[in-house]
Amino acid sequence: MGATAPSSGLEFKVSVDVRRDQQPHHDARIDAHLRVKATGIGPRDQVPAVELAVVIALDVAAARRESAAAALAAALRALPDGISFAVLGGTGASGEPTRCYPLRGRWALADTMEKRRAAFSAGRVAPATDEHPPPGYPAWLAAARALFAERQLPLRHLLLITDGSGHDPADADDADATGTDGGALRAELADCAGAFTADVIAFGADWDPAPLLTVVETLHGAAEHAPDRFGPAVTEALRRQRRVRSPELPVVVAARPAVHAVELTETAPRQQRLAPELRPREPHRIGFPTHQWEPGTRDYLLTLHVDASTDPLGVLLQLATVSVGDTTAPLLTRWLPPGVAVGAGATGDGGGTLQAMNVATQMRTALNRGYAALDPMSREEAEQQFGLAVRLATEIGAGWVLQDVRQVADIVDGPRGLVRVGPTVDRGTVRRGRLHIASGHRLELPEHAAGKPVTCPHCRHLAGPHARFCIACGRSL
């Protein structure tokens, strides 16, 4: 367990859970459960509104113009005082998004009068028409990027509110799970990464989730479905944004030279592989940028690939340390001598949460694949994936998975993983479900062992937490 230290308005505790005894190999793989707990420090629960700049982009078809303008007006009236804001809505003659507010200048500062003017001006939103086709998601991102370049505040956030009318079919291909990198959407997202974060609020039922999920995953935001009166969803998104204490913070792994590869995957609250930020002058010190830190707990799978061919046997080694902010925790292992099986004669020697984390990751992956198979309606594949998710969820008691599956299928036998998708499935429900899963669920993993010492009842000598005999008097513990 690492020490506790403050950083960026947060106090961290870092712990690493790993199976202590390992088999040596020239390419040994070590998996560890990394848990980071962040606690807010200071008198405020939220960052001041003056530190937040937000662009609200309303991408709407003509049929929804009136109701969308009313919802936008309600959202603008509820803005917190002091926030910097700009509103984009409609398409100009050039095919680019137009600025709805402020009427002069590029940014407005929210106060009572400014919010009244902005709400009144929401009626200026011009929907996409045949004469002015929708600009597409890359254009909204580019317009927001240009605005944020002039407002360098600590928190810069885009709220893209869409009914799907601005969707270019090519964007779906670029955002497909095949991993293609071409296309305007991915190119624009590469330019936006690091400049601002983004949330997506989708309403109606005509939008494709793939490009929207690509936007929020790349720009470290959240995606959700909302009714046509989306004002409360905007208010909640801004409230959530003000809980962010640190927009970006690296998880730094400092490894011994014998470690030749390091991987880090976030498993909760979201499931995502993190990209390393290599440092040429410090090849054994690898940073993994993480984003949107607020009070709470995050879980990671840390994987090391180690050449143990020259390491001593039977000696406790520190293969790496993991640091978040000013807090550091070690990763300790011991290579077993030849002929000694891993786990022989040992109980509770670390790694106790790895199995639970792996099961939870498999469960969430299967749930994602099941929903993806229903769009476009591959029922057989969906039933297989949902069945696996339900069986794993039943094992670890993840009730939210069962609730999500019941939105689109009947659970015939949970422990056996038997699921039946009905003859008619509402595609809108499927797409809302995909956004819901991507928004992240807490995976309740067991706490790491505290590792407190044991006192011998006979001679009062201290022993290790898993010792079975006292080394001073030799009696059983």
Side-chain angles (χ1 to χ4, degrees):
M1 180 72 72
T4 302
S7 176
S8 302
L10 291 169
E11 189 174 70
F12 293 100
K13 289 185 178 179
V14 180
S15 58
V16 179
D17 189 35
V18 64
R19 190 178 63 202
R20 188 59 54 90
D21 292 332
Q22 301 278 350
Q23 291 285 4
H25 193 266
H26 72 276
D27 186 20
R29 172 174 172 152
I30 308 296
D31 288 327
H33 174 201
L34 168 65
R35 169 164 286 180
V36 183
K37 289 185 176 181
T39 305
I41 56 176
R44 298 189 183 95
D45 293 331
Q46 295 183 324
V47 298
V50 293
E51 296 184 7
L52 174 61
V54 61
V55 172
I56 300 175
L58 184 60
D59 174 30
V60 61
R64 284 197 170 89
R65 177 203 174 279
E66 188 173 344
S67 61
L72 175 61
L76 292 171
R77 283 191 289 267
L79 289 176
D81 287 344
I83 193 172
S84 297
F85 72 101
V87 182
L88 301 174
T91 309
S94 62
E96 298 298 317
T98 58
R99 189 173 68 253
C100 174
Y101 197 82
L103 305 179
R104 295 184 180 86
R106 306 273 281 177
W107 287 92
L109 192 64
D111 59 22
T112 301
M113 186 58 69
E114 201 73 46
K115 290 186 287 187
R116 287 176 182 172
R117 293 192 185 112
F120 178 76
S121 300
R124 299 177 66 234
V125 172
T129 62
D130 292 339
E131 293 78 13
H132 301 300
Y137 300 134
W140 294 110
L141 294 168
R145 177 165 53 87
L147 284 169
F148 284 122
E150 303 177 9
R151 202 66 168 179
Q152 295 295 324
L153 291 178
L155 296 175
R156 300 180 297 276
H157 195 68
L158 167 66
L159 277 174
L160 176 59
I161 306 167
T162 182
D163 64 355
S165 63
H167 170 53
D168 182 344
D171 292 340
D173 298 332
D174 296 337
D176 195 285
T178 56
T180 54
D181 294 324
L185 179 60
R186 289 192 180 275
E188 181 56 43
L189 284 170
D191 291 337
C192 294
F196 60 93
T197 55
D199 282 356
V200 167
I201 297 175
F203 62 101
D206 298 328
W207 40 271
D208 186 337
L212 301 181
L213 290 174
T214 299
V215 168
V216 298
E217 289 166 2
T218 305
L219 300 182
H220 315 292
E224 64 175 293
H225 176 265
D228 284 5
R229 294 182 178 181
F230 51 76
V234 173
T235 302
E236 176 54 33
L238 294 178
R239 185 181 296 114
R240 183 172 60 245
Q241 194 60 208
R242 291 183 63 191
R243 290 197 295 265
V244 173
R245 300 293 186 95
S246 179
E248 181 177 332
L249 193 66
V251 175
V252 179
V253 180
R256 297 177 66 236
V259 177
H260 55 81
V262 180
E263 302 166 7
L264 189 64
T265 301
E266 182 179 327
T267 59
R270 298 186 184 180
Q271 187 173 314
Q272 56 180 333
R273 178 81 171 269
L274 301 183
E277 195 174 64
L278 300 178
R279 309 178 183 188
R281 295 184 179 181
E282 299 178 292
H284 299 293
R285 186 177 175 85
I286 305 168
F288 294 87
T290 60
H291 303 267
Q292 300 291 85
W293 278 88
E294 60 184 82
T297 302
R298 297 191 186 189
D299 291 293
Y300 300 89
L301 173 64
L302 173 63
T303 300
L304 306 181
H305 295 271
V306 189
D307 181 1
S309 57
T310 60
D311 279 343
L313 301 177
V315 178
L316 202 58
L317 301 173
Q318 180 174 293
L319 294 183
T321 61
V322 183
S323 301
V324 180
D326 296 327
T327 309
T328 300
L331 191 157
L332 304 172
T333 58
R334 175 171 48 226
W335 304 119
L336 295 178
V340 179
V342 172
T347 57
D349 66 337
T353 59
L354 278 174
Q355 182 177 0
M357 184 170 62
N358 288 334
V359 169
T361 300
Q362 295 173 33
M363 175 189 68
R364 178 173 279 169
T365 299
L367 184 61
N368 269 313
R369 289 175 176 172
Y371 264 97
L374 286 182
D375 193 2
M377 298 298 171
S378 176
R379 286 184 172 80
E380 183 176 353
E381 172 67 14
E383 288 176 351
Q384 291 178 359
Q385 296 296 337
F386 283 144
L388 174 58
V390 165
R391 180 173 60 80
L392 296 174
T394 303
E395 289 179 7
I396 65 175
W400 64 268
V401 172
L402 306 183
Q403 293 176 10
D404 278 6
V405 170
R406 288 191 181 104
Q407 298 296 317
V408 292
D410 294 326
I411 299 176
V412 180
D413 189 328
R416 295 173 58 199
L418 296 180
V419 171
R420 293 289 179 267
V421 175
T424 59
V425 178
D426 177 44
R427 179 159 291 182
T429 302
V430 172
R431 293 181 170 182
R432 290 192 294 272
R434 291 184 65 180
L435 291 192
H436 182 59
I437 296 167
S439 65
H441 289 275
R442 252 323 298 148
L443 295 181
E444 295 299 334
L445 300 176
E447 292 286 341
H448 293 179
K452 295 182 180 179
V454 176
T455 301
C456 176
H458 309 287
C459 69
R460 313 306 297 171
H461 190 277
L462 290 179
H466 306 302
R468 305 177 73 179
F469 297 91
C470 177
I471 61 172
C473 69
R475 299 182 186 181
S476 174
L477 297 175

